[in-house]
Each structure stands twice: as structure tokens, then as C-alpha cells.
PDB file of all heavy atoms in Angstrom:
ATOM      1  N   ASP A 777       0.854  -1.187   0.000  1.00  0.00           N
ATOM      2  CA  ASP A 777       0.000   0.000   0.000  1.00  0.00           C
ATOM      3  C   ASP A 777       0.899   1.249   0.000  1.00  0.00           C
ATOM      4  O   ASP A 777       1.706   1.428   0.912  1.00  0.00           O
ATOM      5  CB  ASP A 777      -0.893   0.008   1.242  1.00  0.00           C
ATOM      6  CG  ASP A 777      -1.920   1.138   1.234  1.00  0.00           C
ATOM      7  OD1 ASP A 777      -1.724   2.137   0.502  1.00  0.00           O
ATOM      8  OD2 ASP A 777      -2.911   1.033   1.971  1.00  0.00           O
ATOM      9  N   PRO A 778       0.774   2.118  -1.006  1.00  0.00           N
ATOM     10  CA  PRO A 778       1.642   3.304  -1.046  1.00  0.00           C
ATOM     11  C   PRO A 778       1.446   4.230   0.141  1.00  0.00           C
ATOM     12  O   PRO A 778       2.301   5.083   0.410  1.00  0.00           O
ATOM     13  CB  PRO A 778       1.248   3.985  -2.365  1.00  0.00           C
ATOM     14  CG  PRO A 778      -0.093   3.427  -2.717  1.00  0.00           C
ATOM     15  CD  PRO A 778      -0.131   2.040  -2.166  1.00  0.00           C
ATOM     16  N   LYS A 779       0.358   4.067   0.877  1.00  0.00           N
ATOM     17  CA  LYS A 779       0.123   4.902   2.055  1.00  0.00           C
ATOM     18  C   LYS A 779       0.869   4.393   3.285  1.00  0.00           C
ATOM     19  O   LYS A 779       0.920   5.095   4.298  1.00  0.00           O
ATOM     20  CB  LYS A 779      -1.383   4.964   2.351  1.00  0.00           C
ATOM     21  CG  LYS A 779      -2.211   5.622   1.246  1.00  0.00           C
ATOM     22  CD  LYS A 779      -3.689   5.619   1.619  1.00  0.00           C
ATOM     23  CE  LYS A 779      -4.527   6.224   0.501  1.00  0.00           C
ATOM     24  NZ  LYS A 779      -5.994   6.183   0.824  1.00  0.00           N
ATOM     25  N   THR A 780       1.415   3.194   3.202  1.00  0.00           N
ATOM     26  CA  THR A 780       2.144   2.643   4.340  1.00  0.00           C
ATOM     27  C   THR A 780       3.563   3.205   4.354  1.00  0.00           C
ATOM     28  O   THR A 780       4.334   2.961   3.424  1.00  0.00           O
ATOM     29  CB  THR A 780       2.199   1.107   4.263  1.00  0.00           C
ATOM     30  OG1 THR A 780       0.877   0.585   4.245  1.00  0.00           O
ATOM     31  CG2 THR A 780       2.944   0.538   5.471  1.00  0.00           C
ATOM     32  N   PRO A 781       3.939   3.948   5.378  1.00  0.00           N
ATOM     33  CA  PRO A 781       5.257   4.593   5.412  1.00  0.00           C
ATOM     34  C   PRO A 781       6.349   3.638   5.886  1.00  0.00           C
ATOM     35  O   PRO A 781       6.880   3.769   6.984  1.00  0.00           O
ATOM     36  CB  PRO A 781       5.044   5.735   6.409  1.00  0.00           C
ATOM     37  CG  PRO A 781       4.025   5.184   7.368  1.00  0.00           C
ATOM     38  CD  PRO A 781       3.121   4.290   6.557  1.00  0.00           C
ATOM     39  N   THR A 782       6.684   2.670   5.062  1.00  0.00           N
ATOM     40  CA  THR A 782       7.703   1.697   5.433  1.00  0.00           C
ATOM     41  C   THR A 782       8.871   1.751   4.465  1.00  0.00           C
ATOM     42  O   THR A 782       8.697   2.026   3.276  1.00  0.00           O
ATOM     43  CB  THR A 782       7.116   0.271   5.450  1.00  0.00           C
ATOM     44  OG1 THR A 782       8.163  -0.659   5.732  1.00  0.00           O
ATOM     45  CG2 THR A 782       6.490  -0.086   4.106  1.00  0.00           C
ATOM     46  N   ALA A 783      10.046   1.466   4.985  1.00  0.00           N
ATOM     47  CA  ALA A 783      11.245   1.406   4.142  1.00  0.00           C
ATOM     48  C   ALA A 783      11.422   0.027   3.523  1.00  0.00           C
ATOM     49  O   ALA A 783      12.349  -0.182   2.751  1.00  0.00           O
ATOM     50  CB  ALA A 783      12.475   1.754   4.981  1.00  0.00           C
ATOM     51  N   TYR A 784      10.534  -0.910   3.843  1.00  0.00           N
ATOM     52  CA  TYR A 784      10.744  -2.302   3.464  1.00  0.00           C
ATOM     53  C   TYR A 784       9.741  -2.834   2.452  1.00  0.00           C
ATOM     54  O   TYR A 784       9.512  -4.036   2.371  1.00  0.00           O
ATOM     55  CB  TYR A 784      10.708  -3.175   4.724  1.00  0.00           C
ATOM     56  CG  TYR A 784      11.693  -2.732   5.768  1.00  0.00           C
ATOM     57  CD1 TYR A 784      11.266  -2.274   7.013  1.00  0.00           C
ATOM     58  CD2 TYR A 784      13.050  -2.741   5.505  1.00  0.00           C
ATOM     59  CE1 TYR A 784      12.171  -1.849   7.964  1.00  0.00           C
ATOM     60  CE2 TYR A 784      13.970  -2.332   6.446  1.00  0.00           C
ATOM     61  CZ  TYR A 784      13.527  -1.887   7.681  1.00  0.00           C
ATOM     62  OH  TYR A 784      14.422  -1.471   8.608  1.00  0.00           O
ATOM     63  N   SER A 785       9.136  -1.955   1.673  1.00  0.00           N
ATOM     64  CA  SER A 785       8.132  -2.397   0.711  1.00  0.00           C
ATOM     65  C   SER A 785       8.746  -3.032  -0.532  1.00  0.00           C
ATOM     66  O   SER A 785       8.064  -3.761  -1.256  1.00  0.00           O
ATOM     67  CB  SER A 785       7.263  -1.210   0.294  1.00  0.00           C
ATOM     68  OG  SER A 785       8.048  -0.200  -0.323  1.00  0.00           O
ATOM     69  N   GLY A 786      10.022  -2.755  -0.808  1.00  0.00           N
ATOM     70  CA  GLY A 786      10.633  -3.180  -2.059  1.00  0.00           C
ATOM     71  C   GLY A 786      10.502  -4.662  -2.342  1.00  0.00           C
ATOM     72  O   GLY A 786      10.166  -5.074  -3.461  1.00  0.00           O
ATOM     73  N   ASP A 787      10.764  -5.504  -1.341  1.00  0.00           N
ATOM     74  CA  ASP A 787      10.676  -6.949  -1.546  1.00  0.00           C
ATOM     75  C   ASP A 787       9.258  -7.369  -1.921  1.00  0.00           C
ATOM     76  O   ASP A 787       9.055  -8.268  -2.744  1.00  0.00           O
ATOM     77  CB  ASP A 787      11.114  -7.692  -0.288  1.00  0.00           C
ATOM     78  CG  ASP A 787      12.622  -7.755  -0.151  1.00  0.00           C
ATOM     79  OD1 ASP A 787      13.316  -7.076  -0.935  1.00  0.00           O
ATOM     80  OD2 ASP A 787      13.111  -8.466   0.728  1.00  0.00           O
ATOM     81  N   PHE A 788       8.274  -6.756  -1.302  1.00  0.00           N
ATOM     82  CA  PHE A 788       6.886  -7.133  -1.545  1.00  0.00           C
ATOM     83  C   PHE A 788       6.397  -6.598  -2.889  1.00  0.00           C
ATOM     84  O   PHE A 788       5.573  -7.229  -3.547  1.00  0.00           O
ATOM     85  CB  PHE A 788       6.009  -6.635  -0.404  1.00  0.00           C
ATOM     86  CG  PHE A 788       6.315  -7.303   0.913  1.00  0.00           C
ATOM     87  CD1 PHE A 788       7.267  -6.782   1.774  1.00  0.00           C
ATOM     88  CD2 PHE A 788       5.660  -8.467   1.281  1.00  0.00           C
ATOM     89  CE1 PHE A 788       7.564  -7.399   2.977  1.00  0.00           C
ATOM     90  CE2 PHE A 788       5.946  -9.102   2.488  1.00  0.00           C
ATOM     91  CZ  PHE A 788       6.903  -8.569   3.338  1.00  0.00           C
ATOM     92  N   LEU A 789       6.911  -5.458  -3.296  1.00  0.00           N
ATOM     93  CA  LEU A 789       6.528  -4.904  -4.597  1.00  0.00           C
ATOM     94  C   LEU A 789       7.085  -5.730  -5.751  1.00  0.00           C
ATOM     95  O   LEU A 789       6.612  -5.623  -6.888  1.00  0.00           O
ATOM     96  CB  LEU A 789       7.010  -3.458  -4.703  1.00  0.00           C
ATOM     97  CG  LEU A 789       6.286  -2.455  -3.793  1.00  0.00           C
ATOM     98  CD1 LEU A 789       6.992  -1.106  -3.808  1.00  0.00           C
ATOM     99  CD2 LEU A 789       4.825  -2.303  -4.203  1.00  0.00           C
ATOM    100  N   ALA A 790       8.092  -6.556  -5.478  1.00  0.00           N
ATOM    101  CA  ALA A 790       8.640  -7.429  -6.514  1.00  0.00           C
ATOM    102  C   ALA A 790       7.715  -8.607  -6.823  1.00  0.00           C
ATOM    103  O   ALA A 790       7.922  -9.318  -7.812  1.00  0.00           O
ATOM    104  CB  ALA A 790      10.008  -7.951  -6.084  1.00  0.00           C
ATOM    105  N   ILE A 791       6.701  -8.808  -5.985  1.00  0.00           N
ATOM    106  CA  ILE A 791       5.775  -9.926  -6.161  1.00  0.00           C
ATOM    107  C   ILE A 791       4.769  -9.588  -7.260  1.00  0.00           C
ATOM    108  O   ILE A 791       4.169  -8.511  -7.252  1.00  0.00           O
ATOM    109  CB  ILE A 791       5.049 -10.227  -4.836  1.00  0.00           C
ATOM    110  CG1 ILE A 791       6.069 -10.695  -3.789  1.00  0.00           C
ATOM    111  CG2 ILE A 791       3.948 -11.252  -5.028  1.00  0.00           C
ATOM    112  CD1 ILE A 791       5.512 -10.762  -2.376  1.00  0.00           C
ATOM    113  N   GLU A 792       4.579 -10.509  -8.184  1.00  0.00           N
ATOM    114  CA  GLU A 792       3.603 -10.296  -9.258  1.00  0.00           C
ATOM    115  C   GLU A 792       2.182 -10.548  -8.769  1.00  0.00           C
ATOM    116  O   GLU A 792       1.264  -9.788  -9.077  1.00  0.00           O
ATOM    117  CB  GLU A 792       3.906 -11.215 -10.439  1.00  0.00           C
ATOM    118  CG  GLU A 792       2.973 -10.999 -11.627  1.00  0.00           C
ATOM    119  CD  GLU A 792       3.319 -11.899 -12.792  1.00  0.00           C
ATOM    120  OE1 GLU A 792       3.453 -13.129 -12.573  1.00  0.00           O
ATOM    121  OE2 GLU A 792       3.474 -11.382 -13.915  1.00  0.00           O
ATOM    122  N   SER A 793       1.988 -11.624  -7.987  1.00  0.00           N
ATOM    123  CA  SER A 793       0.648 -11.921  -7.472  1.00  0.00           C
ATOM    124  C   SER A 793       0.749 -12.715  -6.180  1.00  0.00           C
ATOM    125  O   SER A 793       1.688 -13.496  -5.986  1.00  0.00           O
ATOM    126  CB  SER A 793      -0.180 -12.689  -8.506  1.00  0.00           C
ATOM    127  OG  SER A 793       0.374 -13.969  -8.745  1.00  0.00           O
ATOM    128  N   PHE A 794      -0.218 -12.477  -5.311  1.00  0.00           N
ATOM    129  CA  PHE A 794      -0.350 -13.218  -4.056  1.00  0.00           C
ATOM    130  C   PHE A 794      -1.724 -13.861  -4.056  1.00  0.00           C
ATOM    131  O   PHE A 794      -2.731 -13.203  -4.353  1.00  0.00           O
ATOM    132  CB  PHE A 794      -0.194 -12.271  -2.860  1.00  0.00           C
ATOM    133  CG  PHE A 794      -0.369 -12.935  -1.517  1.00  0.00           C
ATOM    134  CD1 PHE A 794       0.734 -13.311  -0.772  1.00  0.00           C
ATOM    135  CD2 PHE A 794      -1.639 -13.204  -1.004  1.00  0.00           C
ATOM    136  CE1 PHE A 794       0.576 -13.933   0.460  1.00  0.00           C
ATOM    137  CE2 PHE A 794      -1.806 -13.828   0.221  1.00  0.00           C
ATOM    138  CZ  PHE A 794      -0.695 -14.193   0.954  1.00  0.00           C
ATOM    139  N   LYS A 795      -1.801 -15.129  -3.678  1.00  0.00           N
ATOM    140  CA  LYS A 795      -3.086 -15.827  -3.713  1.00  0.00           C
ATOM    141  C   LYS A 795      -3.213 -16.753  -2.510  1.00  0.00           C
ATOM    142  O   LYS A 795      -2.353 -17.586  -2.257  1.00  0.00           O
ATOM    143  CB  LYS A 795      -3.199 -16.636  -5.005  1.00  0.00           C
ATOM    144  CG  LYS A 795      -4.509 -17.417  -5.151  1.00  0.00           C
ATOM    145  CD  LYS A 795      -4.504 -18.231  -6.430  1.00  0.00           C
ATOM    146  CE  LYS A 795      -5.783 -19.048  -6.569  1.00  0.00           C
ATOM    147  NZ  LYS A 795      -5.753 -19.883  -7.804  1.00  0.00           N
ATOM    148  N   LYS A 796      -4.315 -16.586  -1.778  1.00  0.00           N
ATOM    149  CA  LYS A 796      -4.639 -17.559  -0.741  1.00  0.00           C
ATOM    150  C   LYS A 796      -5.187 -18.810  -1.422  1.00  0.00           C
ATOM    151  O   LYS A 796      -6.045 -18.726  -2.294  1.00  0.00           O
ATOM    152  CB  LYS A 796      -5.686 -17.001   0.219  1.00  0.00           C
ATOM    153  CG  LYS A 796      -5.179 -15.975   1.190  1.00  0.00           C
ATOM    154  CD  LYS A 796      -6.216 -15.650   2.263  1.00  0.00           C
ATOM    155  CE  LYS A 796      -7.512 -15.119   1.627  1.00  0.00           C
ATOM    156  NZ  LYS A 796      -8.531 -14.833   2.653  1.00  0.00           N
ATOM    157  N   THR A 797      -4.691 -19.952  -1.027  1.00  0.00           N
ATOM    158  CA  THR A 797      -5.170 -21.200  -1.616  1.00  0.00           C
ATOM    159  C   THR A 797      -5.906 -22.059  -0.591  1.00  0.00           C
ATOM    160  O   THR A 797      -6.301 -23.178  -0.885  1.00  0.00           O
ATOM    161  CB  THR A 797      -3.988 -21.995  -2.198  1.00  0.00           C
ATOM    162  OG1 THR A 797      -2.992 -22.194  -1.176  1.00  0.00           O
ATOM    163  CG2 THR A 797      -3.373 -21.248  -3.377  1.00  0.00           C
ATOM    164  N   GLY A 798      -6.079 -21.528   0.600  1.00  0.00           N
ATOM    165  CA  GLY A 798      -6.780 -22.229   1.666  1.00  0.00           C
ATOM    166  C   GLY A 798      -6.678 -21.430   2.933  1.00  0.00           C
ATOM    167  O   GLY A 798      -6.022 -20.384   2.990  1.00  0.00           O
ATOM    168  N   ARG A 799      -7.312 -21.924   3.985  1.00  0.00           N
ATOM    169  CA  ARG A 799      -7.283 -21.205   5.255  1.00  0.00           C
ATOM    170  C   ARG A 799      -5.867 -21.049   5.779  1.00  0.00           C
ATOM    171  O   ARG A 799      -5.535 -20.024   6.395  1.00  0.00           O
ATOM    172  CB  ARG A 799      -8.137 -21.959   6.276  1.00  0.00           C
ATOM    173  CG  ARG A 799      -8.147 -21.351   7.672  1.00  0.00           C
ATOM    174  CD  ARG A 799      -9.090 -22.083   8.607  1.00  0.00           C
ATOM    175  NE  ARG A 799      -8.919 -21.626   9.970  1.00  0.00           N
ATOM    176  CZ  ARG A 799      -8.029 -22.148  10.834  1.00  0.00           C
ATOM    177  NH1 ARG A 799      -7.226 -23.136  10.450  1.00  0.00           N
ATOM    178  NH2 ARG A 799      -7.932 -21.659  12.065  1.00  0.00           N
ATOM    179  N   LEU A 800      -5.016 -22.040   5.516  1.00  0.00           N
ATOM    180  CA  LEU A 800      -3.658 -22.018   6.039  1.00  0.00           C
ATOM    181  C   LEU A 800      -2.614 -22.092   4.917  1.00  0.00           C
ATOM    182  O   LEU A 800      -1.455 -22.426   5.179  1.00  0.00           O
ATOM    183  CB  LEU A 800      -3.452 -23.182   7.012  1.00  0.00           C
ATOM    184  CG  LEU A 800      -4.253 -23.139   8.310  1.00  0.00           C
ATOM    185  CD1 LEU A 800      -4.086 -24.434   9.087  1.00  0.00           C
ATOM    186  CD2 LEU A 800      -3.846 -21.954   9.179  1.00  0.00           C
ATOM    187  N   SER A 801      -3.000 -21.791   3.696  1.00  0.00           N
ATOM    188  CA  SER A 801      -2.046 -21.915   2.593  1.00  0.00           C
ATOM    189  C   SER A 801      -2.129 -20.715   1.667  1.00  0.00           C
ATOM    190  O   SER A 801      -3.177 -20.073   1.535  1.00  0.00           O
ATOM    191  CB  SER A 801      -2.293 -23.214   1.816  1.00  0.00           C
ATOM    192  OG  SER A 801      -3.601 -23.243   1.294  1.00  0.00           O
ATOM    193  N   PHE A 802      -1.006 -20.430   1.020  1.00  0.00           N
ATOM    194  CA  PHE A 802      -0.950 -19.326   0.059  1.00  0.00           C
ATOM    195  C   PHE A 802       0.196 -19.566  -0.905  1.00  0.00           C
ATOM    196  O   PHE A 802       1.102 -20.366  -0.628  1.00  0.00           O
ATOM    197  CB  PHE A 802      -0.796 -17.974   0.766  1.00  0.00           C
ATOM    198  CG  PHE A 802       0.488 -17.816   1.540  1.00  0.00           C
ATOM    199  CD1 PHE A 802       1.600 -17.192   0.978  1.00  0.00           C
ATOM    200  CD2 PHE A 802       0.591 -18.273   2.856  1.00  0.00           C
ATOM    201  CE1 PHE A 802       2.781 -17.026   1.691  1.00  0.00           C
ATOM    202  CE2 PHE A 802       1.771 -18.111   3.582  1.00  0.00           C
ATOM    203  CZ  PHE A 802       2.864 -17.487   2.995  1.00  0.00           C
ATOM    204  N   GLU A 803       0.126 -18.896  -2.032  1.00  0.00           N
ATOM    205  CA  GLU A 803       1.210 -18.976  -2.997  1.00  0.00           C
ATOM    206  C   GLU A 803       1.574 -17.586  -3.485  1.00  0.00           C
ATOM    207  O   GLU A 803       0.736 -16.685  -3.530  1.00  0.00           O
ATOM    208  CB  GLU A 803       0.862 -19.902  -4.163  1.00  0.00           C
ATOM    209  CG  GLU A 803      -0.270 -19.451  -5.040  1.00  0.00           C
ATOM    210  CD  GLU A 803      -0.547 -20.439  -6.179  1.00  0.00           C
ATOM    211  OE1 GLU A 803      -0.368 -21.662  -5.955  1.00  0.00           O
ATOM    212  OE2 GLU A 803      -0.918 -19.987  -7.267  1.00  0.00           O
TER     213      GLU A 803
END
């Protein structure tokens, strides 16, 4: 979120897509 004032967004912005695949799983 561009409104989040964090210095650590770079790694997460490199992600193309995030998907929950279950209650306890994600890809």
C-alpha cells in the first residue's frame, strides 16, 4: 500500500501476485 510509510516495501513490490489457496495456505 503506497500509504504505508515503510522502508521495506521493495521486496513485496517485486511480487507479481499473491493468492490464498486455503485457510492455512498461500502462494
Side-chain angles (χ1 to χ4, degrees):
D777 186 339
K779 297 179 182 178
T780 301
T782 176
Y784 305 117
S785 61
D787 281 9
F788 294 89
L789 291 171
I791 296 169
E792 183 179 51
S793 65
F794 178 99
K795 180 182 178 182
K796 285 190 301 179
T797 55
R799 177 176 171 272
L800 294 173
S801 59
F802 64 95
E803 65 180 34

